[in-house]
């Protein structure tokens, strides 16, 4: 079987034991040598994807779903111990009932307790023959109120919600007011101190580009490298109600919430713009402000190659229901 391009210079093909492997093709290795090495199964295995990465069999098909959820109603995305309500557990239960078989999903990324999503993407394999509306309306009829599927698409057998994603988008909505609003509870982050909006914008602009984001990395983060690239970081709105939009190739655990925490310190004068720049260069959490609350954080989109036909939707109007939008 000939290897095929997977993502970012990685290749995917079957090994001697029938499992799927990802490996790198070195530029210095001639194709004829590579083929011999591969066929004799002497290729060096760099990573064996563990999350439903095998392509579906001939009797099954692969589907991609886009869903939104209220993170305050769940204990995070990931399926946990029995009795703990997670988005993944609720979705898999509903899908399994519609499919008439056990269905497991793979998400583009995991979100923590309290973190929301307007466009989370998952994939799953099934032998059940169902139409798009079955995977949308049928599944939604079985889901709890805090989560809903709004798009279903049959995709190529090699599509992978996590490994094929080359970008992710987040929005953090922040309110500054002397008293918290009960009507915005769990929907926005809140601080009681007045904020210098211009200073926060100047600090946010320093994050664009490739950086070592160790200063904004949670201690329990399992990412192999703290170096990530942010394509854009834009702070919109007013000093009383603002939204921070971040678009990057990948994010560390708590990275957005740690960035927001530092920007709030810039806004209330406890950290200067220069101090923010020094914090980024420090590459350490030791002097960083605390992690900000999850309430205002939304996963708003995941980028995939055009071949899969999964364009990134704009954030919904209700996420910024003010004249002019963002």
């Amino acid at each position: 079987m000939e290897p095929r391009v997977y993502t970012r210079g990685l290749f995917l093909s079957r090994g001697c034991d029938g499992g799927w492997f990802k490996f790198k093709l070195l530029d210095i290795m001639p194709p004829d040598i590579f083929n011999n090495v591969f066929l004799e199964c002497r290729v060096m295995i760099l990573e064996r994807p563990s999350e439903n990465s095998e392509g579906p069999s001939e009797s099954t098909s692969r589907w991609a779903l886009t869903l939104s959820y209220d993170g305050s109603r769940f204990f995070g995305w990931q399926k946990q111990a029995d009795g703990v309500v997670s988005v993944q557990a609720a979705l898999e239960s509903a899908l399994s009932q519609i499919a008439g078989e056990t269905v497991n999903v793979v998400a583009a990324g995991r979100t923590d307790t309290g973190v929301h999503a307007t466009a989370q993407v998952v994939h799953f394999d099934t032998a059940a023959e169902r139409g798009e509306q079955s995977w949308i309306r049928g599944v939604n009829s079985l889901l709890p109120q805090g989560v809903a599927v709004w798009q279903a698409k049959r995709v190529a057998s090699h599509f992978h919600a996590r490994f094929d994603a080359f970008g992710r988008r987040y929005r953090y909505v922040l309110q500054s007011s002397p008293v918290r609003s009960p009507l915005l509870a769990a929907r926005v982050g809140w601080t009681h101190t007045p904020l210098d909006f211009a200073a926060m914008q100047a600090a946010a602009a320093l994050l664009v580009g490739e950086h070592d984001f160790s200063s904004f990395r949670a201690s329990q983060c399992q990412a192999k490298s703290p170096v990530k690239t942010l394509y854009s970081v834009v702070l919109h709105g007013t000093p009383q109600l603002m939204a921070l939009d971040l678009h990057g190739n990948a994010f560390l655990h708590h990275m957005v919430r740690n960035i927001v925490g530092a920007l709030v310190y810039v806004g209330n004068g406890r950290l200067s713009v220069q101090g923010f720049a020094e914090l980024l260069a420090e590459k350490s959490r030791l002097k960083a402000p605390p992690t900000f609350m999850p309430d205002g954080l939304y996963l708003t989109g995941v980028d995939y190659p055009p071949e899969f036909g999964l364009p990134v939707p704009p954030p919904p109007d209700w996420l910024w229901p003010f004249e002019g939008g963002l």
Side-chain angles (χ1 to χ4, degrees):
M1 176 180 177
E2 290 295 322
R4 57 177 173 76
V5 174
Y6 191 55
T7 55
R8 293 192 184 88
L10 293 175
F11 290 75
L12 182 71
S13 202
R14 287 194 182 275
C16 294
D17 63 355
W20 287 86
F21 302 119
K22 283 204 302 183
F23 51 89
K24 286 184 178 178
L25 173 60
L26 301 178
D27 292 336
I28 60 174
M29 184 183 293
D32 57 333
I33 296 178
F34 167 77
N35 287 334
N36 289 334
V37 170
F38 171 73
L39 291 175
E40 294 175 15
C41 297
R42 291 202 300 263
V43 66
M44 178 182 295
I45 304 304
L46 298 183
E47 180 179 0
R48 183 194 295 266
S50 59
E51 294 185 300
N52 199 25
S53 55
E54 291 192 7
S57 66
E58 294 182 359
S59 61
T60 63
S61 56
R62 179 158 291 187
W63 285 82
L65 303 180
T66 307
L67 59 148
S68 58
Y69 49 85
D70 175 359
S72 67
R73 296 171 181 255
F74 301 92
F75 289 93
W77 162 264
Q78 189 173 4
K79 184 165 52 179
Q80 302 178 48
D82 291 344
V84 176
V85 181
S86 70
V87 182
Q88 182 182 9
L91 179 61
E92 289 182 347
S93 175
L95 286 169
S96 297
Q97 292 180 68
I98 294 297
E101 62 182 11
T102 300
V103 173
N104 298 307
V105 302
V106 176
R110 300 168 183 172
T111 52
D112 291 331
T113 300
V115 176
H116 317 291
T118 64
Q120 171 73 280
V121 178
V122 306
H123 82 253
F124 67 94
D125 298 331
T126 180
E129 288 296 331
R130 304 285 188 271
E132 291 183 2
Q133 290 307 308
S134 294
W135 299 125
I136 299 176
R137 294 181 181 275
V139 169
N140 285 342
S141 69
L142 299 172
L143 285 172
Q145 190 173 11
V147 56
V149 175
W150 55 267
Q151 178 177 271
K153 180 180 177 62
R154 190 190 297 264
V155 291
S157 61
H158 60 277
F159 171 77
H160 197 287
R162 178 184 173 192
F163 295 134
D164 278 318
F166 63 83
R168 291 167 177 80
R169 302 163 190 257
Y170 286 92
R171 172 171 291 180
Y172 196 101
V173 183
L174 175 66
Q175 180 193 26
S176 169
S177 64
V179 179
R180 60 178 176 81
S181 169
L183 300 180
L184 296 177
R187 298 290 183 273
V188 303
W190 170 72
T191 178
H192 69 279
T193 58
L195 298 175
D196 184 335
F197 186 67
M200 294 174 69
Q201 286 182 311
L206 299 174
L207 298 169
V208 177
E210 182 180 87
H211 301 283
D212 182 327
F213 285 99
S214 293
S215 295
F216 305 104
R217 179 182 190 175
S219 59
Q220 65 270 39
C221 180
Q222 298 178 355
K224 295 179 180 179
S225 171
V227 178
K228 305 298 176 187
T229 300
L230 292 185
Y231 307 127
S232 65
V233 181
V234 182
L235 186 65
H236 315 257
T238 71
Q240 292 74 43
L241 187 62
M242 62 190 76
L244 179 70
D245 283 339
L246 304 99
H247 180 204
N249 65 340
F251 290 80
L252 302 169
H253 191 202
H254 287 176
M255 178 172 159
V256 176
R257 292 169 57 191
N258 287 332
I259 287 173
V260 172
L263 289 176
V264 168
Y265 266 45
V266 172
N268 63 27
R270 299 179 67 177
L271 184 67
S272 66
V273 175
Q274 179 60 34
F276 185 90
E278 293 171 357
L279 174 63
L280 175 62
E282 189 81 16
K283 304 175 186 177
S284 171
R285 283 292 295 161
L286 294 179
K287 298 180 181 179
T291 304
F292 213 66
M293 62 186 69
D295 305 48
L297 182 55
Y298 298 79
L299 172 62
T300 58
V302 184
D303 298 314
Y304 293 104
E307 65 181 279
F308 297 119
L310 296 170
V312 178
D317 291 340
W318 58 260
L319 189 51
W320 192 258
F322 306 104
E323 184 177 356
L326 286 182

